[in-house]
Structures are given as C-alpha cells and as structure tokens.
Amino acid sequence: MKFRLLAVALLVLAPLCPASAEPFTVTDIAGRTVTVNGPVSRIILGEGRFLPSLAILERGNPAARVVGMMGEFEQLDPSTYRQYVEKFPMIAEIPLLGKSGSSSFSVESAIAVKPDLAIFGMSSGHGPGAKSVEILAQLEAAGVPTIVIDFRMEPLINTPKSLELLGKVLGREREAKEFLDFYRHELERVESVLRTVTTRPDVFMESHVGLRDACCNAFGNAVMGRFIDFAGGHNIFGDRIPGAVGTISVEDLLVNQPDIYVGTAIGNVPVTEETGKRIVLGAKVSPEIGAASLETSTHRQGVSDLTAVREGRAYGLWHHFYNTPMSVVAVQALAKWFHPEEFAGLDPRTTLETFFERFQPFPVDGVYWTGLPQ
C-alpha cells in the first residue's frame, strides 16, 4: 500500500516536474538552435493534435502544461478529441490560438497566455510551422522560444528525433526512451522480414477519400506515401507527384492500375449526409461501419473499375496516422496487406492495443484500418 500511494503521488506531481532549472540549448527538427528557459511549465501547441503525442510522455495529464493550442483537433478528428475531453475536461477550456492554418494563428493571443515554450510542426498545413518566419520572429521577440517537431513529412525518420526532443525539453527523457524502445522494436519486426522480400506490389494510396467528388488526390513520396516504402510496397505515382499530395486523373489511374488500393479515412461517427461519402475509421468506429464505408467509397467512378478493387485488394486506413507516433502501427497494417504470407504472424491490432495500453490515457476503442466486407 505504501508503494502504491507513493506511485500515485509521483503521478500527480509528475506534470509539474521541470525539464531543467537552468536555460539549455537544443537543436530542433528544422535544424534550428533553440535556447529553452527552464523550467518549462507553460507550453502552446501549433496543433491541438499534438496532445495524443504529449500523452506518450505526460502520463498523468497530457494537457497539464498546455496553456494554448490551435483548434484543429476538434475540427478534424472530433472523435479522438471527445475521448480526450471526456478523460480531461479541462482540455475544452484551453484557450484556442487559431482555428486551422497558420493564417488563423494569433500571436497576440499566444503571447497573452505567457508560455515558456511553443511547439510547432515542421509543415503541418493546419497551424504555424517551421516556415512561419514572421510568427517565429514575433514569438522570439516576446521571449518565447519555439521548437519544431515532425511526425508528418518524414514520419518514420523524424518521429524518434521528435520524441527525444520533446523528452528533453519536458524533462521526460525516461518516458521518451521507453516509448522509442517499443517503437523501434515494432518497426524492426517489419524491416527484418522485408530484408528477404524481393518483390514490391504497386500501391495507389488515395488521400482524403470523399472530401471531394472527383477522383483522386494521391500521396507523393512524403507523409503517408512514405509508409508505402517502409511497408514493402511501391508508391505507383510517388515519383510523379511533387511534394506531399497531388492529383491523379481517373484516366491515368485506369491506365496505370495498382496491385493494391488504399484510401485514407477522414470520416468520423456519427456519419452525416455531408460526410457519408467518406471512409469512416478511428475512435468509436465499429468494424461494421468501417468496412461498409470503405465499400461505399469504392463505388465511385474510376475506383470501381480498378482490378484491385474488383478482386478485393482494397483497404481503408485512418488518415490521422499521418501526424502521430502511432504511424508505426499503420506500417504494420500495410505490410500485412502487401505481403500477407510473409507477415502471417504479425498482428497489428495487438500492437495498437499495446500502444494504447502503455502510452495513452485510455484503452483503444475503435478500428483504424479495414478491408472490404467478406
């Protein structure tokens, strides 16, 4: 009992532990040298969706030090946002510094909450980032250092670096190492098998399925397009799309048919008339809803004519894997689709459940990938 009480006490006090009592210097993912004035007790987030990543390190309350954040979390991933608010109601009271996109970010509001540190993404599209030169300069002039992290552009390369950086500035290096041991082990389970694989299927990954009627937005060799390579596939349009995302015509798609089709899911529950064309995956989504939404999405012009779809090699993947250390689980799911015999012994669902059990404040409740109904 004595040890249990001590553990509870440490958990409660943990969010208040400083990273350092003195200024210290770090190099962020953008290569910037940043001096952080410890202890860090008040932080602002360039994306609200960084909260689940903070939860990996801040085990007691991931929002305990957050005094301001962008509002895209509730807008883009409302199901996960509700899970966090149900667990930590104070999240709903955190001042919002903008809606979604750097143009909506208010420097005045950010400075008003008196942060010790700002945490931005490399190139988010939904908040200020490394290229927001004026915002960075204004914060610096106000005495607010900013570090840049990245789970998005080079997710499998920069995720470990970003977690190590966050661990250092937040004084959570032990927690960061604990997660990265898990992350590297699970990634190695894919890489070790792929060393003996000599063929890579052609994969078409359609982004934001259902956001627009026209087909098709596709990933280049960045963001989720990088998952394809790491999972042992070939991004069939990767070399033709500059940057992260581009457009492929239906005619082009039908001429250059993939072996496997993957659509990314931006739909949430409850499904509305407006969002009914989207693949629905993520928090609170049942296997039946996920599979049915994928099937509906494959009825669209062009997609329905793909041999991969007609022969059942069509899958849906939670879109928000693109901006979280959970991406290692997405790579496992893709690897199993690309090379089912070689990865017969791999169970990504178990990996996902372990991730939530060890590194999130609640158990997994939902499906994050799906195939066509059998």
Side-chain angles (χ1 to χ4, degrees):
M1 178 62 74
K2 182 183 295 183
F3 290 110
R4 181 177 299 177
L5 291 174
L6 177 60
V8 170
L10 290 174
L11 188 64
V12 171
L13 293 173
L16 303 177
C17 293
S20 170
E22 301 293 336
F24 57 97
T25 299
V26 297
T27 301
D28 71 7
I29 306 304
R32 302 163 56 250
T33 300
V34 181
T35 298
V36 178
N37 300 309
V40 173
S41 59
R42 300 175 65 84
I43 60 178
I44 58 174
L45 302 178
E47 293 187 54
R49 287 174 299 166
F50 288 157
L51 269 177
S53 299
L54 281 185
I56 293 171
L57 307 178
E58 302 275 66
R59 306 283 170 79
N61 179 355
R65 303 192 224 191
V66 179
V67 295
M69 65 181 189
M70 292 291 283
E72 97 294 342
F73 192 5
E74 182 177 12
Q75 175 187 349
L76 301 178
D77 187 11
S79 297
T80 306
Y81 176 81
R82 285 195 295 271
Q83 280 186 310
Y84 268 85
V85 171
E86 288 171 3
K87 181 74 175 181
F88 306 104
M90 54 87 68
I91 289 176
E93 306 302 322
I94 295 175
L96 299 182
L97 310 177
K99 294 181 180 179
S100 179
S102 59
S103 62
S104 69
F105 180 80
S106 170
V107 174
E108 293 76 14
S109 297
I111 294 173
V113 297
K114 301 178 180 178
D116 302 316
L117 178 70
I119 300 174
F120 288 179
M122 177 76 89
S123 178
S124 74
H126 295 292
K131 296 182 180 179
S132 303
V133 177
E134 186 174 349
I135 293 173
L136 291 171
Q138 290 174 313
L139 290 176
E140 182 178 2
V144 182
T146 303
I147 62 165
V148 173
I149 61 174
D150 180 42
F151 304 126
R152 178 179 183 267
M153 293 305 294
E154 284 288 356
L156 298 162
I157 295 174
N158 285 339
T159 289
K161 299 175 183 175
S162 297
L163 264 297
E164 288 173 349
L165 177 61
L166 288 173
K168 183 172 181 59
V169 298
L170 298 176
R172 301 296 190 201
E173 291 170 293
R174 179 182 60 80
E175 288 84 354
K177 181 182 183 306
E178 183 181 344
F179 172 76
L180 290 175
D181 287 346
F182 163 83
Y183 181 93
R184 288 168 174 141
H185 171 73
E186 295 301 334
L187 196 59
E188 173 61 19
R189 295 177 70 191
V190 175
E191 293 174 338
S192 61
V193 173
L194 291 179
R195 292 187 190 109
T196 63
V197 170
T198 57
T199 60
R200 288 175 172 256
D202 288 332
V203 179
F204 174 60
M205 183 179 284
E206 183 182 3
S207 174
H208 297 90
V209 173
L211 185 63
R212 300 178 182 84
D213 289 336
C215 177
C216 297
N217 283 336
F219 281 107
N221 288 324
V223 196
M224 295 181 81
R226 294 288 282 153
F227 296 176
I228 297 172
D229 293 333
F230 277 84
H234 170 243
N235 185 352
I236 192 169
F237 296 111
D239 293 335
R240 293 169 47 186
I241 298 174
V245 180
T247 302
I248 297 297
S249 70
V250 170
E251 293 77 13
D252 201 353
L253 181 61
L254 293 178
V255 170
N256 299 285
Q257 295 227 4
D259 299 311
I260 294 173
Y261 168 88
V262 179
T264 70
I266 57 173
N268 299 274
V269 287
V271 178
T272 66
E273 183 176 351
E274 180 185 0
T275 63
K277 296 180 180 179
R278 301 176 181 180
I279 303 173
V280 180
L281 290 171
K284 303 294 184 181
V285 176
S286 69
E288 293 76 16
I289 288 177
S293 67
L294 171 65
E295 181 180 37
T296 299
S297 75
T298 60
H299 294 167
R300 291 170 300 139
Q301 181 184 12
V303 176
S304 62
D305 297 320
L306 293 175
T307 300
V309 172
R310 292 203 303 268
E311 295 182 352
R313 298 189 301 278
Y315 305 95
L317 189 67
W318 187 54
H319 184 81
H320 299 284
F321 274 126
Y322 86 92
N323 199 21
T324 166
M326 284 172 63
S327 56
V328 67
V329 190
V331 171
Q332 289 192 350
L334 290 167
K336 200 171 178 72
W337 295 335
F338 298 170
H339 303 282
E341 293 184 4
E342 288 82 354
F343 288 102
L346 181 65
D347 184 359
R349 179 70 189 186
T350 297
T351 306
L352 182 70
E353 291 172 350
T354 301
F355 170 81
F356 271 84
E357 179 182 346
R358 294 183 60 189
F359 304 110
Q360 291 293 280
F362 37 72
V364 63
D365 180 9
V367 294
Y368 289 76
W369 56 86
T370 189
L372 292 172
Q374 301 298 313

